Amino acid sequence: MNKDVKINWGNLGFNYIKTDYRYISVWKDGQWDEGRLTEDNMLNISEASTALHYGQQCFEGLKAYRRKDGKIQLFRVDRNAHRMNESTAKLLMPEVPVDKFIDACMQVVKANEHYVPPYGTGATLYLRPFIIGVGDNIGVKPAPEYIFSVFAVPVGPYFKDGLTPCNFMIADYDRAAPYGTGGQKVGGNYAASLHPHRIAVDRGFADCIYLDPSTHKKIEEVGAANFFGITKNNEFITPKSPSILPSITKYSLMDIARDYLKMPVYERDVYIDNIDEFKEAGACGTAAVITPIGGIEYKDKLHVFHSETEVGPVTKELYRILCGIQFGDIEGPEGWTYLV
């Protein structure tokens, strides 16, 4: 670790910190090179790169966790690899072989292992794999070359108050078009969310909730995270739509709810006018893990779920089990964790 870097592990935010090494590989003439680690955190690309002009780029997010025994593990990294390739297919970019993706993540964690926060701090090492279209290309067509890279940043909780209920408002904007790229992890979806997010924060909310772009009647995403609710019948419900990013955290919670808590689990439409069916609600994703939703403002009225100040019991248990598996305290399903 750079001797000039002094990190207060218990007070980390979700901000960029330059670590020692990152992985980079170039696709050219129809194939990826072997890839390598580098200390250089700057990319030198053509001014005509498709990533700059036509948004031909996608990314992933996952974490490395320090276990109680001091070892480090990744959580469901294979799912990130497959999801990235779903994004590359949509944007006509070359896929990254799953083994290459996993190996790149492993190399970056090993090379920056001193940046993996100590067990018990709640902090993690966040990995950001990405692919961008580069090279000299001025027309609207796939790039002639691509860069695949993975860098790492030690992070604390995405929301600074941790597992504390937050209030959200319904956005008047769409984050993605029907049958567009909402189901892929591409930068354009996030660019579209910046303005609505600012409006929500200026009004005192943590973020906004997006309704389906076709009818504006169904809940889709909560800012940059997926929505889930616990019904009064103790069912785990999450929205289903082609324009929702398939959150690895969400699908993990679905498995935990069904297999560990023995709850019925359904992926279906969630109508905004029917949110009183839920006794608890939350947002979930790699960065936020779980953010309990205290209330949702819709048509100038705040609908409160379990509480604006206390976390519901089911949400709390889902969080405990998920984090327990991620940090190695609870045995997860086979294949969920990868020892570095």
Side-chain angles (χ1 to χ4, degrees):
M1 183 188 296
N2 188 324
K3 293 181 180 179
D4 295 331
V5 177
K6 295 181 180 180
I7 297 176
N8 182 343
W9 300 114
N11 196 36
L12 276 174
F14 200 85
N15 302 300
Y16 180 80
I17 295 173
K18 182 179 183 292
T19 49
D20 295 340
Y21 293 96
R22 65 274 312 130
Y23 174 95
I24 189 165
S25 182
V26 175
W27 186 92
K28 189 175 182 180
D29 299 326
Q31 62 183 1
W32 291 105
D33 66 13
E34 290 186 1
R36 61 186 174 85
L37 292 174
T38 176
E39 296 182 60
D40 188 1
N41 70 332
M42 295 293 169
L43 296 175
N44 185 11
I45 64 173
S46 169
E47 62 187 354
S49 294
T50 58
L52 300 177
H53 302 279
Y54 306 124
Q56 199 185 25
Q57 58 85 253
C58 64
F59 66 98
E60 278 297 318
L62 64 151
K63 292 176 177 178
Y65 304 82
R66 179 81 68 179
R67 305 192 320 191
K68 195 171 187 178
D69 62 8
K71 296 180 180 178
I72 301 168
Q73 65 184 27
L74 297 175
F75 180 73
R76 310 197 76 177
V77 59
D78 59 317
R79 291 294 297 265
N80 290 97
H82 287 296
R83 189 172 68 178
M84 173 167 271
N85 285 333
E86 291 171 3
S87 296
T88 61
K90 191 68 173 279
L91 299 185
L92 299 184
M93 299 195 291
E95 73 170 28
V96 176
V98 172
D99 289 346
K100 182 181 181 72
F101 183 99
I102 295 174
D103 177 63
C105 292
M106 290 283 189
Q107 286 192 47
V108 170
V109 174
K110 288 177 182 177
N112 296 289
E113 67 173 303
H114 297 299
Y115 284 95
V116 181
Y119 174 85
T121 61
T124 54
L125 185 71
Y126 181 83
L127 302 181
R128 171 57 60 82
F130 65 92
I131 302 178
I132 58 173
V134 297
D136 298 329
N137 186 86
I138 199 63
V140 183
K141 58 186 178 182
E145 300 175 18
Y146 296 87
I147 291 174
F148 167 54
S149 183
V150 182
F151 66 88
V153 181
V155 298
Y158 189 76
F159 292 106
K160 62 181 180 180
D161 295 327
L163 195 67
T164 302
C166 296
N167 290 342
F168 296 81
M169 61 171 279
I170 297 298
D172 293 327
Y173 298 84
D174 297 327
R175 60 171 283 275
Y179 308 106
T181 57
Q184 286 72 49
K185 200 167 179 67
V186 300
N189 298 339
Y190 296 84
S193 73
L194 294 175
H195 182 59
H197 172 76
R198 173 64 61 85
I199 292 173
V201 170
D202 287 348
R203 291 193 53 199
F205 295 94
D207 208 335
C208 54
I209 292 177
Y210 297 96
L211 302 181
D212 71 290
S214 296
T215 69
H216 289 176
K217 293 181 178 179
K218 296 175 285 188
I219 289 177
E220 288 215 332
E221 292 217 340
V222 184
N226 278 194
F227 175 90
F228 72 87
I230 310 300
T231 68
K232 294 169 183 175
N233 295 326
N234 222 40
E235 301 165 326
F236 182 102
I237 308 294
T238 188
K240 184 176 180 62
S241 165
S243 55
I244 294 176
L245 181 72
S247 165
I248 293 162
T249 303
K250 179 187 77 173
Y251 285 113
S252 300
L253 289 175
M254 291 170 69
D255 289 341
I256 290 170
R258 180 181 56 250
D259 300 335
Y260 288 72
L261 302 183
K262 308 304 179 185
M263 298 172 62
V265 173
Y266 301 101
E267 200 174 8
R268 62 157 170 82
D269 290 338
V270 176
Y271 289 92
I272 184 63
D273 287 333
N274 294 341
I275 55 173
D276 59 353
E277 69 175 315
F278 299 114
K279 62 180 180 179
E280 298 178 34
C284 61
T286 297
V289 188
I290 292 178
T291 298
I293 298 177
I296 297 175
E297 185 188 81
Y298 177 56
K299 293 182 178 178
D300 298 322
K301 180 182 177 182
L302 183 68
H303 177 90
V304 177
F305 296 98
H306 178 77
S307 167
E308 288 186 77
T309 57
E310 300 293 328
V311 183
V314 178
T315 301
K316 190 179 295 184
E317 188 66 359
L318 287 168
Y319 181 84
R320 183 190 70 82
I321 296 172
L322 177 61
C323 289
I325 294 171
Q326 290 175 332
F327 283 98
D329 296 325
I330 296 175
E331 185 174 354
E334 185 177 354
W336 273 28
T337 57
Y338 288 68
L339 196 63
V340 176

